[in-house]
Amino acid sequence: MGEARALAVALAPDFAELPSTSPQETDGPLDWPGYGTARKLAAERTGERESVLCGVGTLGGARAVLIAFEFGFFGGSVGSAAGERVVRAFAHALAQRLPVVSLLATGGSRMQESMVSLRQLQRIAAARACLAEAGLPHVAVLRNPTTGGVWASLGASADVIVALAQAQIGFAGRRVRPPGDDHAYRAEGQFAAGNVDEVVTPDDLPAVLAQWLELLRGNADPAPVPNALGTAEPAAGGWDAVRLTRAAVRPRADAYLDDYFTARRTISGDRCGGVDDGVRCGVGLHDGRPIAFAAQLGTPTTPAGFRTATRLLRLADRLRLPVLTLVDTPGAANDDRAERAGLGPSIAELFGAIASARVPVTTLVIGEGGSGGALALAAPDNTWITPDAYFSVIAPELAAAILKRPATEVPAVADALRLRPEDLVALGAVRGIAGTR
């Protein structure tokens, strides 16, 4: 039994292969000398008739279509027969309303079929796009190695990307890339660059996949407002509200996520080469129901953080998952690095994603609501606030500086901004103040 079939059966013991067309037994569309003989040898060595096997099985409690690449068969490369198998597997998932789990181990397109092989990537991308349009999830597992066009067309387009530890991952394979930093082509390097959501061990893979399939189930009801975890005492004034919010003992986003969800998994990175450790995004279970979340952790949010939140919103919208956002930031990062990375456009994309969302979005301001960097995560008509939080057009210190007032007048400026929770409710800026248990 080849590695791909063994993995498919290990993940889904009831794995049943889908019918497939007969593979080529000739020298192929190019009349490549010896190609037919090499195919027969690959089949004898692996027990497979192609580089891809596709079937249906149960992972945890969820039925899914599995697409498993056999690296021992021409390096898991895709030719016309393999491409046809993948396209048919996506079509079966679409017809049966099933998620897809792809188990990649591939060197890319098959040289012996030249452009006939390369064009399979377009067919696979189109099939994947149809699945996404239908609101069905695709989870990709990157095994060792995952390189070339299959990584770029199938793996990198997945809703959630899980990589096995130390797997070689990259568009350029080892034999065709220039010398450089090998870490960039490993699972851990791709995770650090924001291109992979999780790096897991083979032992953990079954549980991780089963949980992701459980979490990516759409539902319609809005996310309930979380309970406030900090003080319930109202602030005496605007500056008092700011001081309460900035207190070291105030509960942060992770405390709210732990309290709200019984289980959760995170996505990581903006898939543009950036990661913001101050933004936490993913999907969790609340009262047994999947809810997507995007949470700020109290730091200035960078373009990568806004783009990751946008990615989460668009994923939730496509899969019909309600969204919870937790706002806590002094504001958007305002240094030159953030500007070069596209700060304005990244905020604009997030504003647009929330404005156009077809799923309900619930927002709770749990700390500092610093200007547009905080507002970008806020639901226009369903934003709530905790007693120990504030929301303001600008930080009081910055407002005083713009008004050319001394530091001694910052408290008075804070009062004038009317940024206390009670003031925000009266102004109609938030719907209400979250209650405590």
Side-chain angles (χ1 to χ4, degrees), residues 24 26-32 35 80 112-114 116:
Q24 296 169 340
T26 68
D27 286 336
L30 305 185
D31 293 325
W32 188 285
Y35 182 35
S80 55
Q112 293 87 344
E113 296 189 30
S114 190
V116 175

mmCIF file of all heavy atoms in Angstrom, residues 24 26-32 35 80 112-114 116:
data_model
loop_
_atom_site.group_PDB
_atom_site.id
_atom_site.type_symbol
_atom_site.label_atom_id
_atom_site.label_comp_id
_atom_site.label_asym_id
_atom_site.label_seq_id
_atom_site.Cartn_x
_atom_site.Cartn_y
_atom_site.Cartn_z
ATOM 1 N N GLN A 24 -3.490 6.407 -18.629
ATOM 2 C CA GLN A 24 -2.751 6.169 -19.863
ATOM 3 C C GLN A 24 -1.788 5.005 -19.688
ATOM 4 O O GLN A 24 -1.173 4.839 -18.644
ATOM 5 C CB GLN A 24 -1.951 7.416 -20.247
ATOM 6 C CG GLN A 24 -2.797 8.629 -20.580
ATOM 7 C CD GLN A 24 -1.940 9.873 -20.691
ATOM 8 O OE1 GLN A 24 -0.832 9.899 -20.182
ATOM 9 N NE2 GLN A 24 -2.455 10.899 -21.340
ATOM 10 N N THR A 26 0.262 4.503 -22.494
ATOM 11 C CA THR A 26 1.128 4.790 -23.643
ATOM 12 C C THR A 26 2.192 5.800 -23.234
ATOM 13 O O THR A 26 2.345 6.144 -22.056
ATOM 14 C CB THR A 26 0.290 5.370 -24.787
ATOM 15 O OG1 THR A 26 -0.176 6.673 -24.409
ATOM 16 C CG2 THR A 26 -0.922 4.486 -25.077
ATOM 17 N N ASP A 27 2.906 6.287 -24.245
ATOM 18 C CA ASP A 27 3.915 7.307 -23.996
ATOM 19 C C ASP A 27 3.326 8.711 -23.946
ATOM 20 O O ASP A 27 4.044 9.705 -23.959
ATOM 21 C CB ASP A 27 5.011 7.245 -25.069
ATOM 22 C CG ASP A 27 5.927 6.039 -24.858
ATOM 23 O OD1 ASP A 27 6.007 5.570 -23.713
ATOM 24 O OD2 ASP A 27 6.528 5.577 -25.835
ATOM 25 N N GLY A 28 1.999 8.817 -23.869
ATOM 26 C CA GLY A 28 1.340 10.080 -23.589
ATOM 27 C C GLY A 28 1.214 11.011 -24.773
ATOM 28 O O GLY A 28 1.599 10.671 -25.899
ATOM 29 N N PRO A 29 0.670 12.198 -24.517
ATOM 30 C CA PRO A 29 0.373 13.137 -25.608
ATOM 31 C C PRO A 29 1.614 13.641 -26.341
ATOM 32 O O PRO A 29 1.515 14.119 -27.469
ATOM 33 C CB PRO A 29 -0.355 14.282 -24.910
ATOM 34 C CG PRO A 29 0.074 14.199 -23.485
ATOM 35 C CD PRO A 29 0.265 12.740 -23.207
ATOM 36 N N LEU A 30 2.800 13.546 -25.713
ATOM 37 C CA LEU A 30 4.025 14.019 -26.364
ATOM 38 C C LEU A 30 4.812 12.890 -27.016
ATOM 39 O O LEU A 30 5.865 13.136 -27.612
ATOM 40 C CB LEU A 30 4.939 14.717 -25.343
ATOM 41 C CG LEU A 30 4.375 15.866 -24.518
ATOM 42 C CD1 LEU A 30 5.481 16.476 -23.668
ATOM 43 C CD2 LEU A 30 3.739 16.912 -25.397
ATOM 44 N N ASP A 31 4.299 11.666 -26.859
ATOM 45 C CA ASP A 31 5.088 10.491 -27.291
ATOM 46 C C ASP A 31 6.466 10.490 -26.633
ATOM 47 O O ASP A 31 7.493 10.194 -27.265
ATOM 48 C CB ASP A 31 5.235 10.456 -28.820
ATOM 49 C CG ASP A 31 3.915 10.203 -29.518
ATOM 50 O OD1 ASP A 31 3.100 9.443 -28.954
ATOM 51 O OD2 ASP A 31 3.689 10.765 -30.605
ATOM 52 N N TRP A 32 6.462 10.815 -25.350
ATOM 53 C CA TRP A 32 7.724 10.865 -24.581
ATOM 54 C C TRP A 32 8.280 9.442 -24.477
ATOM 55 O O TRP A 32 7.615 8.565 -23.919
ATOM 56 C CB TRP A 32 7.447 11.448 -23.212
ATOM 57 C CG TRP A 32 8.660 11.739 -22.374
ATOM 58 C CD1 TRP A 32 9.429 10.837 -21.735
ATOM 59 C CD2 TRP A 32 9.211 13.015 -22.091
ATOM 60 N NE1 TRP A 32 10.438 11.458 -21.052
ATOM 61 C CE2 TRP A 32 10.334 12.809 -21.254
ATOM 62 C CE3 TRP A 32 8.881 14.320 -22.450
ATOM 63 C CZ2 TRP A 32 11.119 13.858 -20.780
ATOM 64 C CZ3 TRP A 32 9.660 15.364 -21.978
ATOM 65 C CH2 TRP A 32 10.767 15.133 -21.161
ATOM 66 N N TYR A 35 7.698 6.702 -21.442
ATOM 67 C CA TYR A 35 6.741 7.183 -20.439
ATOM 68 C C TYR A 35 5.776 6.085 -20.012
ATOM 69 O O TYR A 35 5.508 5.883 -18.827
ATOM 70 C CB TYR A 35 5.986 8.384 -21.010
ATOM 71 C CG TYR A 35 4.976 9.032 -20.070
ATOM 72 C CD1 TYR A 35 5.200 9.114 -18.692
ATOM 73 C CD2 TYR A 35 3.808 9.589 -20.576
ATOM 74 C CE1 TYR A 35 4.271 9.719 -17.861
ATOM 75 C CE2 TYR A 35 2.877 10.205 -19.748
ATOM 76 C CZ TYR A 35 3.110 10.261 -18.391
ATOM 77 O OH TYR A 35 2.192 10.856 -17.568
ATOM 78 N N SER A 80 -2.624 14.661 -17.177
ATOM 79 C CA SER A 80 -4.023 14.790 -17.581
ATOM 80 C C SER A 80 -4.930 13.848 -16.803
ATOM 81 O O SER A 80 -6.036 14.236 -16.396
ATOM 82 C CB SER A 80 -4.152 14.537 -19.079
ATOM 83 O OG SER A 80 -3.596 13.281 -19.431
ATOM 84 N N GLN A 112 6.514 15.051 -18.557
ATOM 85 C CA GLN A 112 6.302 14.178 -19.710
ATOM 86 C C GLN A 112 5.014 14.497 -20.469
ATOM 87 O O GLN A 112 4.784 13.946 -21.548
ATOM 88 C CB GLN A 112 6.285 12.708 -19.267
ATOM 89 C CG GLN A 112 7.620 12.199 -18.758
ATOM 90 C CD GLN A 112 7.822 12.471 -17.275
ATOM 91 O OE1 GLN A 112 7.113 13.284 -16.680
ATOM 92 N NE2 GLN A 112 8.789 11.788 -16.675
ATOM 93 N N GLU A 113 4.170 15.377 -19.897
ATOM 94 C CA GLU A 113 2.956 15.790 -20.602
ATOM 95 C C GLU A 113 2.947 17.288 -20.881
ATOM 96 O O GLU A 113 1.947 17.829 -21.356
ATOM 97 C CB GLU A 113 1.717 15.380 -19.805
ATOM 98 C CG GLU A 113 1.573 13.874 -19.682
ATOM 99 C CD GLU A 113 0.239 13.465 -19.078
ATOM 100 O OE1 GLU A 113 -0.761 14.191 -19.263
ATOM 101 O OE2 GLU A 113 0.209 12.415 -18.415
ATOM 102 N N SER A 114 4.024 17.975 -20.557
ATOM 103 C CA SER A 114 4.234 19.381 -20.903
ATOM 104 C C SER A 114 3.004 20.248 -20.632
ATOM 105 O O SER A 114 2.429 20.197 -19.550
ATOM 106 C CB SER A 114 4.669 19.485 -22.367
ATOM 107 O OG SER A 114 5.101 20.802 -22.671
ATOM 108 N N VAL A 116 -0.006 20.069 -21.580
ATOM 109 C CA VAL A 116 -1.213 19.309 -21.243
ATOM 110 C C VAL A 116 -1.291 19.135 -19.731
ATOM 111 O O VAL A 116 -2.354 19.218 -19.126
ATOM 112 C CB VAL A 116 -1.225 17.949 -21.963
ATOM 113 C CG1 VAL A 116 -2.430 17.113 -21.521
ATOM 114 C CG2 VAL A 116 -1.239 18.139 -23.471
#
